[in-house]
Amino acid sequence: MHRISLIGPIALFLALVSCEKDIDIDYRQVAPLYVVEANVNQDRSTVRITMTQNMDDNSNNHGVEGATVVISSGDSISRRLNYSRDGYYSAALPGKPGTRYNLTIDVDGHHFTSTSTMQQCPEMNSFRFVWKKIATERYLLGELHLQDIPHATNYYFLHIFRNNIGYRWAVISDDQRTADGDLQQVFTCVTEREQEKGTSNDVLNEGDRIRIDIRAIDRSAYDYLYSMQMMDNTGTNPVTNITGGCLGYFTAYYQITHNLVFHTADVEEEE
């Protein structure tokens, strides 16, 4: 992602806005492949292993069991994750910032490996809902500001949930630093006309429960999620950071969560 400079207000707005909604990974693959979604956070370690499915396969059970899943680190910690159900493996193995974690998976003669370094705890400066007029239309926006960690290259994954269902998400990096030195992400929610008519699935209703998950991630996880955003444009699968011929990603991250309730009276106005 490149730094934005000498750009008009409308173009800058479009550059900051996230057009993504919930995460829907539609892997473009006909022949079945393993898909690994693995993470280490400050609470525990979790890995899910599934198989891709053909377009005419309507079954929901694609979880893979019987795999040997191990997460280790440079400080001699090594833990085999236990299988639960639906392809999920987990262990009470919390991550520590600055530690590099190694993932190894052996399943049905396949060997997959990856590494990821856990980042420092992110810090949210502010979040607000605001009405803004862009060109001839008024938009309800969610405006999030993060405190950038100095003297480091930082990457973040931001996910907004509405009543526990994914609503918007984005990844950002230091390239989106504002003049005040923090990082800003603007999410488009709905137009004023759509909000008033209530005809869009994106409408925010009085009393909706909003949860914002903020993850500090490393570069490899950022590349994966950014390439996921670009899937519709590139026609390719996301860039995996796992070797061995599977799809998916491995990330060690530190997450914070911010909760609020949507009230129309709290939405700010800005021209």
Side-chain angles (χ1 to χ4, degrees):
M1 188 173 295
H2 301 287
R3 187 176 302 279
I4 301 170
S5 61
L6 300 178
I7 193 164
I10 294 177
L12 177 58
F13 167 80
L14 294 174
L16 292 172
V17 166
S18 168
C19 298
E20 298 294 333
K21 299 180 184 179
D22 199 7
I23 300 177
D24 184 12
I25 310 175
D26 180 19
Y27 288 109
R28 292 166 169 82
Q29 183 70 37
V30 176
L33 284 177
Y34 286 100
V35 180
V36 175
E37 297 166 278
N39 66 75
V40 176
N41 60 35
Q42 68 267 32
D43 298 317
R44 64 187 298 104
S45 300
T46 304
V47 175
R48 191 183 190 204
I49 307 173
T50 56
M51 297 291 293
T52 57
Q53 63 188 83
N54 292 326
M55 294 296 292
D56 58 353
D57 185 352
N58 295 319
S59 63
N60 294 318
N61 186 17
H62 294 277
V64 175
E65 59 180 304
T68 299
V69 181
V70 176
I71 290 180
S72 60
S73 66
D75 52 7
S76 301
I77 293 177
S78 181
R79 185 75 56 84
R80 178 172 177 174
L81 279 61
N82 298 316
Y83 181 78
S84 55
R85 59 183 178 84
D86 299 333
Y88 282 99
Y89 300 76
S90 63
L93 176 63
K96 297 179 181 179
T99 301
R100 181 175 178 176
Y101 292 91
N102 308 299
L103 169 70
T104 61
I105 298 174
D106 289 284
V107 54
D108 195 24
H110 298 273
H111 183 67
F112 307 125
T113 63
S114 185
T115 62
S116 182
T117 301
M118 189 170 185
Q119 305 301 295
Q120 300 296 316
C121 178
E123 180 181 346
M124 188 182 82
N125 284 341
S126 64
F127 178 83
R128 66 170 182 164
F129 286 108
V130 58
W131 286 108
K132 285 188 180 183
K133 185 175 182 180
I134 308 298
T136 60
E137 192 78 73
R138 270 168 51 90
Y139 291 86
L140 177 61
L141 308 175
E143 188 177 279
L144 174 64
H145 287 262
L146 300 178
Q147 181 61 50
D148 190 29
I149 300 173
H151 313 301
T153 302
N154 306 298
Y155 305 92
Y156 302 93
F157 169 59
L158 317 170
H159 200 177
I160 298 179
F161 294 81
R162 177 186 58 182
N163 300 322
N164 292 322
I165 298 174
Y167 182 69
R168 296 289 187 273
W169 69 275
V171 287
I172 62 174
S173 70
D174 289 311
D175 287 345
Q176 290 164 252
R177 187 183 293 110
T178 69
D180 295 329
D182 64 359
L183 301 179
Q184 179 185 19
Q185 177 64 44
V186 178
F187 299 89
T188 52
C189 299
V190 67
T191 67
E192 185 176 40
R193 285 181 292 180
E194 291 171 331
Q195 182 75 6
E196 290 176 349
K197 292 179 179 179
T199 55
S200 170
N201 291 330
D202 296 331
V203 166
L204 290 172
N205 297 304
E206 185 71 20
D208 277 350
R209 291 172 290 111
I210 305 298
R211 186 180 91 235
I212 306 167
D213 289 347
I214 301 169
R215 296 179 181 179
I217 59 178
D218 65 5
R219 176 60 188 266
S220 65
Y222 171 86
D223 288 343
Y224 173 85
L225 290 163
Y226 181 75
S227 66
M228 188 190 300
Q229 287 188 143
M230 304 302 294
M231 282 175 62
D232 288 341
N233 297 327
T234 62
T236 61
N237 287 316
V239 178
T240 182
N241 64 350
I242 302 175
T243 64
C246 70
L247 301 174
Y249 67 98
F250 172 48
T251 176
Y253 65 84
Y254 204 115
Q255 175 173 300
I256 60 173
T257 298
H258 178 69
N259 295 283
L260 68 148
V261 176
F262 179 80
H263 294 297
T264 303
D266 294 336
V267 180
E268 300 181 24
E269 292 277 352
E270 185 172 312
E271 295 298 329

